[in-house]
Amino acid sequence: MLQEKRKDLDAEKLKKLLQRLVSELSGLYPDLYYQPTSEVAALILRYVAGEAKLNADEHALLKPLSQRDVEVLLSLH
């Protein structure tokens, strides 16, 4: 049961982190809203690998995700 709560907490943190990253990228790319989800996911991963200001926990949340994983998570919002 404790592991289940941990997974739920991580999922919530990941959701908020992705929302924050999309918001940051929207400021840099005003037409981001009109891009396909696959483009947005690729941009997020490039941003994370480069200039995004993330702490160790945030990096740990994103590290195991593939572009397809990010696409799916974005499409759920």
Side-chain angles (χ1 to χ4, degrees):
M1 181 143 143
L2 188 57
Q3 283 182 323
E4 200 171 298
K5 286 185 181 183
R6 172 75 178 168
K7 286 181 184 179
D8 289 344
L9 180 61
D10 285 349
E12 191 61 33
K13 285 181 183 178
L14 184 57
K15 184 170 106 174
K16 287 181 182 182
L17 176 57
L18 286 175
Q19 288 174 343
R20 188 185 94 207
L21 292 172
V22 168
S23 177
E24 289 175 16
L25 288 169
S26 292
L28 298 171
Y29 303 96
D31 65 341
L32 187 68
Y33 179 81
Y34 302 103
Q35 300 304 312
T37 306
S38 59
E39 288 281 326
V40 176
L43 185 59
I44 287 172
L45 292 177
R46 285 195 306 270
Y47 184 63
V48 166
E51 60 197 60
K53 307 259 189 284
L54 302 175
N55 63 39
D57 289 339
E58 292 169 335
H59 272 290
L61 282 173
L62 292 170
K63 186 176 181 176
L65 299 180
S66 69
Q67 181 175 335
R68 180 67 181 142
D69 294 334
V70 175
E71 287 175 34
V72 170
L73 290 168
L74 290 173
S75 69
L76 295 176
H77 296 104

